[in-house]
Amino acid sequence: MRRIEAVLFASSSPVAGSDLAKVVGQGASVDLLVEDLSADLEGRAFEVAKVADGWMLRTRKAYAPAIRAAADVGAQALDLNPFDVAVLAAIAYHQPITRDGLKDIFGKEISRDLIGRLHGLGLIGTGPRSPRRGAPYTFVTTDEFLVAFGLESLLDLPDREQIEDAGLAKGRHD
């Protein structure tokens, strides 16, 4: 268990179960050891999180205000405005999607600069070429997107009802 803790502590990105298996020995259950580690960390300021098909140590959300107040986390913060987040969400929910597909959703052209900024942050990548005329590029989210938003997989994205309940989208009857 302590070997897993050490590997997760040293890694800045999620560590796959197969990589953790290399450090615990044959016959040991990585899943059970991670569960034991999670239980051991109960009540601590950080936790083991399953993110993007791997595990990582991260600070519990309750401590975010303290970290922002005292630590230099500016370089880690995503500098996204609401429209950037909307485009990122559209890509996440409709991937793989082309810029024309995004234009259909938003009713306006999505700039190459915005796509380039999201790509530069590592939140999106290029997907398969579209089978449409000219074979335009499609865009998909990345593992870094999952890590940035604390998701284990795209299945963890909120559904439309959850978004409406949070007041982030209008309901069908609004």
Side-chain angles (χ1 to χ4, degrees):
M1 180 177 78
R2 295 295 171 223
R3 289 183 200 155
I4 288 176
E5 182 178 14
V7 170
L8 295 179
F9 181 79
S11 179
S12 62
S13 59
V15 180
S18 59
D19 291 333
L20 292 175
K22 295 174 186 175
V23 299
V24 296
Q26 194 170 1
S29 170
V30 170
D31 290 334
L32 290 176
L33 289 169
V34 169
E35 283 180 32
D36 290 346
L37 178 58
S38 292
D40 191 51
L41 295 176
E42 196 64 40
R44 303 280 304 270
F46 53 94
E47 65 187 349
V48 176
K50 181 113 170 94
V51 181
D53 297 325
W55 286 277
M56 67 185 303
L57 288 177
R58 67 177 178 198
T59 307
R60 294 183 191 276
K61 290 179 183 176
Y63 297 97
I67 292 169
R68 278 193 293 275
D72 182 16
V73 293
Q76 297 175 15
L78 293 176
D79 186 24
L80 300 174
N81 65 44
F83 188 68
D84 295 346
V85 173
V87 170
L88 188 56
I91 293 170
Y93 281 101
H94 300 283
Q95 64 187 305
I97 188 168
T98 62
R99 282 183 59 230
D100 281 344
L102 292 169
K103 179 181 178 183
D104 291 343
I105 292 170
F106 292 101
K108 67 179 188 176
E109 193 75 31
I110 303 304
S111 74
R112 284 186 168 83
D113 289 343
L114 172 54
I115 296 296
R117 191 167 56 254
L118 296 175
H119 191 274
L121 291 169
L123 299 172
I124 65 169
T126 53
R129 297 300 282 276
S130 174
R132 296 183 13 213
R133 183 173 176 216
Y137 286 103
T138 64
F139 303 100
V140 297
T141 56
T142 62
D143 283 350
E144 291 174 41
F145 165 83
L146 297 175
V147 171
F149 292 95
L151 303 171
E152 183 176 336
S153 75
L154 292 173
L155 298 175
D156 295 328
L157 287 169
D159 61 25
R160 181 162 179 87
E161 187 175 301
Q162 290 172 312
I163 293 171
E164 289 170 5
D165 288 348
L168 301 174
K170 293 182 179 182
R172 292 185 186 110
H173 307 295
D174 290 347

